[in-house]
Amino acid sequence: MASAQLRAVTCTAPVNIAVIKYWGKRDEELILPINSSLSVTLHQDQLKTTTTAAISKAFTEDRIWLNGREEDVTQPRLQACLREIRRLAKKQKSAGGEDPLTPSYKVHVASVNNFPTAAGLASSAAGYACLAYALARVYGVDDDLSEVARRGSGSACRSLYGGFVEWQMGQQADGKDSVARQVAPESHWPELRVLILVVSAEKKQTGSTVGMQTSVDTSALLRFRAEKVVPARMAEMVRCVKERDFPAFGQLTMKDSNQFHATCLDTFPPISYLNDTSRRVMQLVHRFNSHHGQTKVAYSFDAGPNAVIFTLDHTVPEFLAAVKHSFPPEANGDPFLKGLPVTPAPLSDALKAALAMEPSPGAIKYVIATQAGPGPQTLDNPQEHLLGPDGLPK
Ligand code: 2P0
């Protein structure tokens, strides 16, 4: 087919880490949560999904390739995203858009992550945010994309914005008010740093979708959390971000991560995402903070054993030294530190003694140093399209 018939756009979208966690749906089909959540968008220089969406009159079916492999396009969540974007496109075209036919055009999508799936980092949020954003650009949709992204994966709606983002749970049965909103842009807190401690893990964990449904069905603690704890925590977390109050931000981040994992243990049968290394990281953080007499570092864990550390730029060198002391890197030739460079710092004997930890060699595979970053971007250079002029992966 001639390339003139094909309209293609390529976009990138970020990963986000929740500091007030989403866990549990009140509507499985519409993906409506039982509580609001708040996240930090990570910088795409370190972690991102890139997606090309192309439409053409000549395409006979919707097709999708993820990391180079063609996937089943009839998957219900993907279908929900496609249906929703076409509904928005039709709505917009009927209000005077340029080409009333394009909403019915079939789409080809190719998507890649710049981080290994094997690292155990959640990729669905970046993936569905990128899909929603790329589909919107290619079909010419200007609407709020919260619903399109959310129908793919709940946490994906938070990856539609940079910086600090809340997903308001909403009250309506149709989910129209269950939307993501930016609390503050990434430039608001430039000293904030994020370290991802990639933990060696052999076992496959319970998937989030199934895990949270079991929690909704069986955990009284989860209900209590959603109704009685999270509303006040959301307000407090917004305050912490707006005032750049790191000690309060860090403490609340750790408490909310711990409460999420407590609801997992309260689920029946219980779910446990943390492993011994995760718990040792928690111990390291608490001992580091108590040595300094203040909350300088905070941890957060999602549906897996990897630790996400929040801290401020001036604390990174010393904390990284503490991590290397407690989890000596394996000499396998791979760099232990990826992402933002960190100036090496010595570890004082006093801090070493305060940590009082037997070293666990190799328990942390590597560390990715990053920071808060912007929301989805459109790439202007057609060279960066993942689909060729024939609409197939390059
Ligand atoms: C979060 N997680 O707020 C929480 C904390 C994991 C732990 O959102 O079923 O992949 O697609 O809506 O968004 C993971 O759940 O689940 C998640 P679905 P999702 O980031």
Side-chain angles (χ1 to χ4, degrees):
M1 137 207 352
S3 59
Q5 288 183 290
L6 183 110
R7 184 196 297 173
V9 297
T10 299
C11 303
T12 65
V15 168
N16 74 77
I17 302 293
V19 289
I20 300 294
K21 304 289 188 193
Y22 150 54
W23 197 251
K25 299 181 187 70
R26 63 180 196 274
D27 186 315
E28 290 279 312
E29 169 71 20
L30 296 176
I31 311 201
L32 301 177
I34 59 168
N35 61 260
S36 296
S37 54
L38 196 149
S39 57
V40 179
T41 296
L42 302 189
H43 206 289
Q44 295 175 59
D45 281 354
Q46 281 74 44
L47 303 163
K48 70 175 174 209
T49 297
T50 304
T51 300
T52 299
I55 56 172
S56 168
K57 200 176 179 177
F59 291 166
T60 54
E61 54 181 347
D62 295 325
R63 295 178 75 179
I64 186 162
W65 292 264
L66 301 183
N67 294 311
R69 237 188 55 194
E70 184 154 20
E71 301 282 338
D72 178 15
V73 80
T74 65
Q75 195 250 104
R77 287 180 173 204
L78 199 54
Q79 285 297 316
C81 294
L82 289 169
R83 250 195 333 271
E84 182 59 19
I85 204 79
R86 287 184 171 124
R87 188 183 68 76
L88 294 173
K90 277 190 192 119
K91 190 178 87 180
Q92 203 161 309
K93 303 290 179 197
S94 62
E98 84 272 18
D99 182 351
L101 285 178
T102 54
S104 62
Y105 285 4
K106 300 295 182 194
V107 67
H108 286 191
V109 174
S111 190
V112 295
N113 296 325
N114 74 340
F115 50 96
T117 315
L121 298 165
S123 57
S124 69
Y128 278 109
C130 207
L131 177 73
Y133 199 78
L135 289 175
R137 297 290 87 82
V138 82
Y139 282 112
V141 169
D142 292 328
D143 262 277
D144 186 294
L145 298 176
S146 287
E147 176 157 6
V148 186
R150 199 191 72 219
R151 296 291 294 269
S153 190
S155 53
C157 67
R158 297 189 313 238
S159 277
L160 290 171
Y161 299 95
F164 303 83
V165 184
E166 63 176 323
W167 173 14
Q168 299 165 351
M169 63 176 287
Q171 302 297 331
Q172 289 173 216
D174 65 4
K176 294 294 175 215
D177 56 350
S178 188
V179 291
R181 292 282 177 257
Q182 188 177 61
V183 171
E186 63 278 15
S187 57
H188 169 73
W189 202 349
E191 303 83 13
L192 191 70
R193 292 290 177 275
V194 181
L195 302 175
I196 302 169
L197 276 44
V198 178
V199 168
S200 311
E202 309 82 41
K203 267 210 323 244
K204 179 143 173 47
Q205 309 113 15
T206 314
S208 295
T209 305
V210 171
M212 70 174 79
Q213 191 50 39
T214 314
S215 297
V216 168
D217 292 343
T218 62
S219 171
L221 180 57
L222 181 65
R223 185 170 297 273
F224 174 77
R225 162 179 165 73
E227 289 171 6
K228 302 281 192 252
V229 181
V230 173
R233 284 191 175 178
M234 283 295 292
E236 169 64 2
M237 191 56 94
V238 169
R239 184 200 68 77
C240 293
V241 168
K242 293 216 155 137
E243 296 178 10
R244 295 186 285 264
D245 179 348
F246 187 82
F249 171 88
Q251 280 172 38
L252 189 51
T253 293
M254 292 190 278
K255 285 182 179 176
D256 205 68
S257 171
N258 293 342
Q259 189 174 78
F260 154 53
H261 291 281
T263 68
C264 289
L265 189 58
D266 189 49
T267 298
F268 199 80
I271 303 168
S272 68
Y273 290 119
L274 306 177
N275 67 13
D276 284 349
T277 306
S278 318
R279 283 182 283 272
R280 289 174 63 84
V281 170
M282 293 164 76
Q283 200 171 46
L284 171 70
V285 166
H286 286 295
R287 287 180 182 173
F288 186 94
N289 287 339
S290 80
H291 171 76
H292 286 290
Q294 55 173 306
T295 301
K296 294 184 69 143
V297 179
Y299 53 75
S300 183
F301 297 86
D302 286 331
N306 292 334
V308 177
I309 301 291
F310 292 92
T311 188
L312 297 176
D313 53 357
H314 58 81
T315 306
V316 171
E318 190 187 35
F319 184 72
L320 191 65
V323 168
K324 282 186 178 163
H325 171 74
S326 308
F327 305 96
E330 256 167 5
N332 56 5
D334 295 340
F336 186 65
L337 178 70
K338 304 180 194 223
L340 296 176
V342 177
T343 315
L347 201 60
S348 71
D349 288 338
L351 179 51
K352 249 184 235 174
L355 295 179
M357 293 183 65
E358 268 304 305
S360 314
I364 291 177
K365 281 195 283 192
Y366 57 89
V367 174
I368 304 170
T370 185
Q371 59 193 338
Q377 311 279 319
T378 304
L379 305 182
D380 293 325
N381 185 353
Q383 301 271 349
E384 295 179 282
H385 289 333
L386 302 172
L387 296 168
D390 57 356
L392 297 173
K394 281 182 181 168

